[in-house]
Amino acid sequence: MAEFSIIDQYFKRPSKPDVSLGIGDDSAIVTPPPSQQLVICTDTLVAGRHFPLDTSAHAIGWKSVAVNLSDLAAMGAKPHSILLALSLPTVDHDWLAEFSRGLFDCCDRFGVALIGGDTTQSTQLTISVTALGWIEHGQAITRSGAQVGDYICVSGQIGDAAYGLQHLGHPLQQRLDYPTPRCHLGQQLKGLASSMIDISDGLAQDLSHILKASKLGAKLLLDQLPIDESLKSIDLRQAWHYALAGGDDYELCFTISPQNYEKLLRQHLDVPLTIIGEIAQQTGLLFEYMGEICPLDVHGYQHFA
Ligand code: ADP
Ligand code: MG
């Protein structure tokens, strides 16, 4: 089957009014809203590396969009559209039908259009998505703005996806296969959070990116980590390992002043938030458990380990 009929059959759909030209020409044309900045990111999923080989095609489609929308959310941006670069070992119609359904389910949930891409053959199934979003000029929340005394907060629960990966078939596998990008929360944090990152490689590692960029340190309260009931019944250190070093959570980790946190709580939030620590002057990450310093050696996901 020709590349073009794959695109027509599975990926061409009516677009959005501000997409002047979508799939079908050499490039897409989008009209940006006045005085907004373009926020843009790419993430690649390689079969067997970023998801288990037997992951359903629907979940792969969902996740390839969700991980990118999570990166936009982590800047406070409003998601707009995606491009899809697809490398397929074979043309499997059942797989393509389910993959595109999962991809569009995620797009529709967050009001995102597929505006272009590339389709090639290769030995390894690889899905690369580029996402575009908008933000008011100068409003993006970067990793570098944390201040001493800020709360460190996370959305939802952490460690679920890593637990799900180790216990395939457990209900928490859903969190691994169908991460929820925190698009609405990300936008609510504009003008309130001082720094933000999404948790893809484990909380400890991703938080340390904020600390490094902000040239500060932090104290993390291990007894405050928002973990699932399933993790509460296992060995404490094992549970911390899932929560701190497990990847694929796609929750938001942000820093915020106590005053701004109060303002945030006055809005309607669609996901629970937990204060898990505080930004400190001395560099490095310090762990505390029940008021006592607790030495821990945690390493997040290393792509080239
Ligand atoms: P070109 O050869 O000019 O790069 P292509 O023949 O690769 O263009 O693609 C034709 C059109 O289909 C383009 O608009 C491109 O963006 C779109 N497209 C190709 N593959 C995909 C895909 N997997 N998903 C969505 N759009 C795609
Ligand atoms: Mg061309």
Side-chain angles (χ1 to χ4, degrees), residues 154 156-158 203-204 220-228 232 236 239-245 274-277 287-288 296:
V154 288
Q157 293 183 166
I158 50 172
L203 171 68
L220 262 198
L221 307 172
L222 294 170
D223 39 306
Q224 298 300 318
L225 295 176
I227 56 173
D228 189 76
K232 287 182 183 154
L236 202 55
W240 290 340
H241 182 79
Y242 283 125
L244 296 170
T274 310
I275 299 172
I276 55 162
F287 298 100
E288 210 179 272
L296 267 193

Side-chain angles (χ1 to χ4, degrees), residues 175-240:
R175 293 267 293 146
L176 172 73
D177 291 344
Y178 291 95
T180 308
R182 302 303 181 187
C183 297
H184 187 236
L185 175 65
Q187 293 168 72
Q188 285 180 308
L189 286 165
K190 278 180 297 185
L192 294 176
S194 53
S195 71
M196 178 148 63
I197 192 165
D198 69 319
I199 308 175
S200 53
D201 295 334
L203 171 68
Q205 182 170 311
D206 289 322
L207 174 60
S208 69
H209 293 312
I210 285 187
L211 300 181
K212 194 162 175 232
S214 302
K215 301 190 180 69
L216 290 169
K219 186 170 73 179
L220 262 198
L221 307 172
L222 294 170
D223 39 306
Q224 298 300 318
L225 295 176
I227 56 173
D228 189 76
E229 285 304 319
S230 311
L231 276 79
K232 287 182 183 154
S233 55
I234 61 172
D235 173 71
L236 202 55
R237 288 195 172 251
Q238 186 60 43
W240 290 340

Side-chain angles (χ1 to χ4, degrees), residues 79-134:
H80 175 269
S81 48
I82 58 163
L83 294 115
L84 166 70
L86 195 54
S87 300
L88 299 168
T90 53
V91 177
D92 175 339
H93 287 281
D94 292 339
W95 190 90
L96 277 164
E98 278 303 286
F99 171 80
S100 58
R101 198 170 63 82
L103 177 129
F104 284 123
D105 280 349
C106 191
C107 284
D108 293 346
R109 165 92 173 266
F110 296 99
V112 164
L114 174 63
I115 59 168
D118 193 29
T119 308
T120 56
Q121 211 235 332
S122 97
T123 50
Q124 191 116 17
L125 170 64
T126 307
I127 304 120
S128 194
V129 169
T130 299
L132 284 66
W134 310 122

Side-chain angles (χ1 to χ4, degrees), residues 43-46 48-52 55 62-64 66-68 70 157-166 168 172-182 198-203 205-206 241-252 300-303:
D43 242 326
T44 299
L45 302 185
V46 179
R49 185 133 188 92
H50 298 101
F51 52 86
T55 305
W62 174 283
K63 191 167 178 174
S64 60
V67 301
N68 279 280
S70 177
Q157 293 183 166
I158 50 172
D160 290 3
Y163 187 89
L165 180 63
Q166 292 303 316
L168 294 176
L172 285 182
Q173 189 190 339
Q174 185 75 4
R175 293 267 293 146
L176 172 73
D177 291 344
Y178 291 95
T180 308
R182 302 303 181 187
D198 69 319
I199 308 175
S200 53
D201 295 334
L203 171 68
Q205 182 170 311
D206 289 322
H241 182 79
Y242 283 125
L244 296 170
D248 271 355
D249 286 319
Y250 299 100
E251 293 297 343
L252 293 176
Y301 184 75
Q302 297 287 330
H303 294 268

Side-chain angles (χ1 to χ4, degrees), residues 6-68:
I6 297 177
I7 299 164
D8 282 347
Q9 191 170 340
Y10 298 108
F11 299 112
K12 208 164 177 175
R13 286 201 330 180
S15 198
K16 302 209 285 194
D18 54 356
V19 179
S20 319
L21 195 56
I23 293 172
D25 215 308
D26 292 309
S27 302
I29 303 178
V30 174
T31 309
S35 76
Q36 304 252 323
Q37 288 180 301
L38 170 65
V39 184
I40 183 164
C41 62
T42 291
D43 242 326
T44 299
L45 302 185
V46 179
R49 185 133 188 92
H50 298 101
F51 52 86
L53 287 171
D54 58 358
T55 305
S56 78
H58 185 272
I60 298 169
W62 174 283
K63 191 167 178 174
S64 60
V65 179
V67 301
N68 279 280

